Amino acid sequence: MFIDSAKIYVKAGNGGNGMVSFHREKYIAAGGPDGGDGGKGGDVIFQVDEGLNTLIDFRYKKHFKAEPGQDGGPSNCSGKNGENMIIKVPLGTMVKDEMTGMTLVDLIKPGQTCIIARGGKGGKGNQHFATPTRQVPNFAKSGDLGEERNLILEMKMIADVGLLGFPNVGKSTILSMVSAAKPKIANYHFTTLVPNLGVVQIEQGKSFVIADIPGLIEGAHEGVGLGHEFLRHVERTKLLVHVVDISGVEGRNAIEDFDTINAELEKYNAVLASRPQIVAANKMDIPGSEENYQAFKEEFEGRGYKVFGISAATNKGLKELMYYVSDILSTLPDTILLDESREEEVVYTAEGEKPFEIRIEDGVYVVEGSWVRKVLGSTNMANYESLQYFQRALRRKGVIDALEAMGIEEGDTVRILDTEFDYTR
């Protein structure tokens, strides 16, 4: 089954918590703090696997979680780092954030890897908080949470040449004649249900990849027919071979068909419609095709297109067409992306989340945020020094000033996560 899009959820591992521990040994009365640090959580990493050609694996498994880091131990022992989660995807996979629609990375190179969700840092053990005036720190830092996100995966085939045209004009037959690909071929519309790739060998050491895209019809950019589902696979091609049925046996007009398909490309993506095109007038073996071809060739050579009269069924003209395609490809850039201003790879960089946000809910001042969650998790509420550290951290970060700016009064309730405090000046 050919699957070229999927939605998945990924979660990097949380960092391990730092430990509160004190050295205990015979004849050593005050060994001091020796709580170890927590381990780093595992990352979620996407990796290109050239052996894959579909996203079908993500139809059955949609949740991916990396291993969390282990908590720190006594005797200054650090926790073990969590194992990374490696997710293998086909070449040409684009990874997008479902919430923002932003492209995180475009995996277009063999073996390419990218960290999509970073694991949380491990928390510091209490050994780090000893000072000349705080010799018995009874608190440690908790580990950071790992990043999590919902993703959209879209696979776009990597091909040099794309075959375009209405259904049943002979694209699959051309592919089967010029390469070793064996697409399903029959004399009815929409025989081709999925894109097919083939390698055309021109001579020793000289070849290119050609893609047969399911036939487009009028309204394809709006979802009519089958081809609209696979238009994304034409986007990476450097050159388009536009196949038309020159015989007219189905009552079609080759000139109108050409203009209709190009109008659909323009509506789908203007950059795609501007790609170089070569016109292949197929089914020249059918009686009456020669007369149609002469009028067609005169019209399109007047428009500046190179036109080839071919018969895919009898292999007539295909060699000349493929050699010409190879020559044109050698003059085109190696990689053409739809957004010419975008780099080949857009590596995701996490934007700094606000350290805290404050809202009023039923008269209670609710403080939320990743930083607040972390500092509260590192606080030992039963220890005076730890509470003092917590209060100083809130003031340094601006939480107290923000509460006062919102009009908090003496005795008002402040809620941080599930813990409530009475505000005092």
Side-chain angles (χ1 to χ4, degrees), residues 12 21 26 52 63-64 70 104 114 145 148 159 237 266 285:
S21 173
K26 191 175 181 180
L52 300 176
H63 289 73
F64 298 85
Q70 292 183 359
L104 307 184
C114 182
L145 297 178
E148 57 182 317
T237 58
E266 179 72 33
D285 56 306

Side-chain angles (χ1 to χ4, degrees), residues 138-153:
N138 199 26
F139 61 94
K141 283 193 174 182
S142 58
D144 292 346
L145 297 178
E147 295 176 347
E148 57 182 317
R149 62 185 65 255
N150 291 300
L151 302 174
I152 297 176
L153 308 183

Side-chain angles (χ1 to χ4, degrees), residues 72-92:
S75 302
N76 299 323
C77 292
S78 297
K80 180 183 176 183
N81 292 338
E83 292 289 335
N84 295 331
M85 167 63 72
I86 307 294
I87 302 177
K88 296 187 176 182
V89 295
L91 184 67

